[in-house]
Amino acid sequence: LPTKKMSGSLSADELRTMMKEVIKTELTPIISRLDEIELRFQIMSTQQQNSLAGRDDHLVAVPNEQGEFPEEFPTTIRSLSGIEVLPDGQQNNWNNMKTIRLLEFYGEEFE
């Protein structure tokens, strides 16, 4: 935009500065809120997908409320049993400590 005075009393530079301030103060909180909503939708849709999984279907890791993913996540519902041999013949390596760490990661209360 040219820097000479426009039909109003603001120059193009002044208008540009004002627009940046409006974006910063008005749109940034809206964008932030949309990001929160998108994360919440991702969490809910992944939880829904996992709730429909069968015992041997692959589970998808679910982010926590901060958008972080756990270091370890069970691969199937069957793997949560901790004592069964998996369908591919491998011994299951999920245990109670991994379950406790997962609950803590999601901020769940447990006894």
Side-chain angles (χ1 to χ4, degrees):
L1 291 171
T3 57
K4 67 177 188 170
K5 294 276 183 186
M6 300 174 130
S7 59
S9 61
L10 296 175
S11 71
D13 286 338
E14 291 168 326
L15 184 59
R16 218 178 272 116
T17 301
M18 283 182 58
M19 291 302 293
K20 285 180 183 178
E21 188 61 30
V22 167
I23 289 170
K24 185 173 150 185
T25 59
E26 301 297 326
L27 292 182
T28 300
I30 294 169
I31 292 169
S32 177
R33 182 66 182 133
L34 287 173
D35 288 343
E36 292 172 15
I37 292 169
E38 181 181 20
L39 174 60
R40 189 70 198 135
F41 177 77
Q42 179 187 8
I43 291 169
M44 291 173 62
S45 63
T46 305
Q47 288 172 335
Q48 174 68 18
Q49 178 183 347
N50 285 343
S51 73
L52 299 173
R55 287 178 52 81
D56 296 317
D57 293 338
H58 180 73
L59 296 175
V60 178
V62 179
N64 63 13
E65 295 292 330
Q66 292 75 40
E68 302 164 336
F69 287 87
E71 290 181 21
E72 292 186 272
F73 195 81
T75 55
T76 64
I77 298 291
R78 183 186 300 266
S79 70
L80 291 172
S81 68
I83 57 171
E84 296 181 10
V85 174
L86 300 174
D88 63 4
Q90 294 182 352
Q91 182 63 40
N92 184 11
N93 67 352
W94 196 263
N95 59 45
N96 289 345
M97 286 309 299
K98 289 182 181 181
T99 300
I100 290 170
R101 283 195 302 270
L102 198 59
L103 289 170
E104 288 171 341
F105 175 81
Y106 290 112
E108 299 292 327
E109 296 292 325
F110 62 92
E111 296 178 12

